[in-house]
Amino acid sequence: MLAPTPPMGWNSWNTFGGKINEQVVKETADAFVEQGLKEAGYEYVVIDDHWEANERVDGRLVPNEKFPGGIKALADYVHGKGLKFGIYSCAGTHTCGGRPASYGYEEIDAQTFADWGVDFLKYDRCYVPSGVVAPPLYWRMGQALRATGRPILYSVCEWGKDKPWEWAPRAGAHMWRTTGDINDSWESVFKIGFERQVGLHSYAGPDHWNDPDMLVVGMHGKGNVAKGGCTDVEYRSHFSLWCLLASPLMIGCDVRAMSEPAREILLNTEAIAVNQDPLGRQGYRVGEFMHGSRPTPVWAKPLEDGSVAVGLFNLTDLDKRRVSVAWEAISIDPKRPCTVRDLWAHEELGVHTVEFTAQPPSHGVALLRITPQGAG
Ligand code: GLA
């Protein structure tokens, strides 16, 4: 199994877009080690679109002038740090950025990637010729990757258009995007995370994960998909939800220059443990109250030791809304005493029965681990 728990890493798109180059990728790999990201479990360093030259050479994809050392040497560099290396292509004739892509070249491109030592392929959906049905193109690349004999994690990016959760696992995918692109704004996190992931939990599990797109934590309104940025409270809610969703954790900020709050969020080992829990269950929404048009949802994720991770979210514009989780809503006997631990404050909040209530700030979260006494 290549992805028994959700893949963790970094992708160049959110911050660098078309401005990605070899030096940035190397420095990112260095930062993985120096900043403790590797130790926390982040593993894949992935180059998104715009690494490709505008023409193939002898039928093969080649990198453009921003990667003078070639992709194989870059993959070697990343491997030398004990990390894994990922790249991007597209099921159509061109990538979304207009570079050559893999339509009709699936086998040759898969072999090229394997020859370079690629460990991860993100496969996009732009420029699929009209009249061509997309899912078979994803099957074809999945089959081509398998035929190389190299274990390559397959990340399907068709934006949820053809319900990939229904077919992508059998096309060989380890993860698949469920929506269009995220951007660095609270509105985007709210829509993509809190609205669009509802109802998908039963499709995810070890080796096959729903992907609500890369993290914008720590972008602070700077970079390719910046759109005003989020507050640190909002980034915490975003990260908490992605952990509860058993989402791949692909960092999108510039890890060479992380802010302190970003570091604290991305390196919260207790939150990461929820995401990486070996049971591999995706969290689901267990309740939601509306306050006008803004909710206070509760999301829960069962964990292997019998405890339940719970996010009490206050998505309203008012501070200190009361948000509660009833034991019954998370399948625990109301009389059962449970310890409650706050995974952001890193402290025990006592033993409780029946329910637990928190008062998160506006757009904030209380991320908890609720453990029935005697379990674990
Ligand atoms: C699409 C994808 C993004 C990114 C860009 C690259 O929009 O959904 O994640 O890969 O293409 O051009």
Side-chain angles (χ1 to χ4, degrees):
M1 245 196 262
L2 267 188
T5 59
M8 295 173 65
W10 172 89
N11 174 299
S12 60
W13 182 252
N14 282 0
T15 291
F16 295 95
K19 298 198 183 115
I20 187 61
N21 63 52
E22 185 178 289
Q23 198 55 29
V24 169
V25 177
K26 284 187 175 171
E27 288 171 10
T28 296
D30 297 345
F32 262 53
V33 178
E34 286 155 15
Q35 306 286 333
L37 291 164
K38 179 183 172 192
E39 201 184 337
Y42 296 95
E43 189 179 20
Y44 291 94
V45 176
V46 180
I47 314 180
D48 207 281
D49 203 355
H50 295 289
W51 62 268
E52 314 88 341
N54 284 330
E55 301 295 335
R56 289 175 178 266
V57 174
D58 297 331
R60 294 197 174 246
L61 289 172
V62 289
N64 58 41
E65 69 291 348
K66 291 180 299 165
F67 296 85
I71 302 295
K72 169 104 180 53
L74 190 53
D76 288 348
Y77 184 89
V78 172
H79 290 150
K81 300 268 160 183
L83 301 167
K84 291 185 173 162
F85 177 75
I87 210 164
Y88 162 101
S89 190
C90 186
T93 56
H94 294 82
T95 69
C96 298
R99 309 272 181 174
S102 299
Y103 179 72
Y105 291 90
E106 288 85 352
E107 291 74 20
I108 195 171
D109 288 356
Q111 193 55 53
T112 301
F113 299 146
D115 294 346
W116 285 342
V118 165
D119 306 297
F120 178 116
L121 175 68
K122 172 175 171 182
Y123 205 50
D124 215 337
R125 183 176 173 147
C126 284
Y127 296 101
V128 171
S130 68
V132 174
V133 179
L137 299 180
Y138 285 90
W139 286 75
R140 182 166 171 184
M141 181 50 93
Q143 200 60 10
L145 290 172
R146 191 176 294 124
T148 68
R150 183 177 173 84
I152 299 178
L153 193 147
Y154 187 26
S155 163
V156 162
C157 175
E158 57 83 270
W159 319 313
K161 275 196 143 184
D162 281 303
K163 299 191 176 171
W165 43 88
E166 290 182 351
W167 51 265
R170 285 182 304 285
H174 301 90
M175 55 192 267
W176 52 85
R177 282 270 298 278
T178 54
T179 67
D181 293 7
I182 198 167
N183 64 53
D184 183 21
S185 71
W186 176 242
E187 271 315 302
S188 179
V189 168
F190 180 80
K191 259 205 199 85
I192 285 184
F194 290 96
E195 294 188 342
R196 301 285 307 282
Q197 307 307 319
V198 176
L200 296 181
H201 61 276
S202 59
Y203 295 98
D207 230 26
H208 54 286
W209 308 101
N210 288 304
D211 174 12
D213 207 357
M214 298 162 303
L215 298 163
V216 295
V217 174
M219 290 185 64
H220 302 293
K222 288 201 269 321
N224 183 45
V225 304
K227 224 174 172 187
C230 300
T231 65
D232 294 331
V233 165
E234 291 166 347
Y235 284 140
R236 241 184 214 203
S237 295
H238 165 34
F239 193 73
S240 300
L241 181 63
W242 265 236
C243 287
L244 290 163
L245 286 170
S247 163
L249 296 178
M250 300 301 288
I251 298 174
C253 72
D254 184 350
V255 294
R256 301 170 308 168
M258 271 187 293
S259 67
E260 247 340 289
R263 189 195 312 269
E264 189 222 324
I265 293 169
L266 295 168
L267 291 171
N268 179 343
T269 49
E270 293 197 82
I272 292 172
V274 168
N275 176 269
Q276 294 290 304
D277 184 76
L279 187 61
R281 293 276 299 276
Q282 175 173 333
Y284 47 95
R285 198 172 71 188
V286 296
E288 165 168 274
F289 282 104
M290 294 304 289
H291 305 264
S293 63
R294 292 294 177 173
T296 51
V298 177
W299 288 71
K301 179 182 196 291
L303 304 176
E304 193 183 51
D305 68 356
S307 62
V308 183
V310 172
L312 303 176
F313 293 92
N314 172 10
L315 307 184
T316 77
D317 293 331
L318 286 183
D319 263 340
K320 303 210 163 195
R321 284 266 187 213
R322 291 170 64 82
V323 194
S324 302
V325 58
W327 278 200
E328 269 182 337
I330 52 173
S331 304
I332 297 175
D333 182 335
K335 295 187 292 300
R336 185 98 183 253
C338 295
T339 57
V340 176
R341 183 170 173 81
D342 182 328
L343 303 186
W344 285 111
H346 307 293
E347 67 187 24
E348 300 294 337
L349 300 178
V351 177
H352 299 261
T353 56
V354 184
E355 64 173 10
F356 185 83
T357 300
Q359 292 182 277
S362 170
H363 299 184
V365 64
L367 183 65
L368 310 170
R369 189 168 182 134
I370 298 180
T371 309
Q373 281 199 337

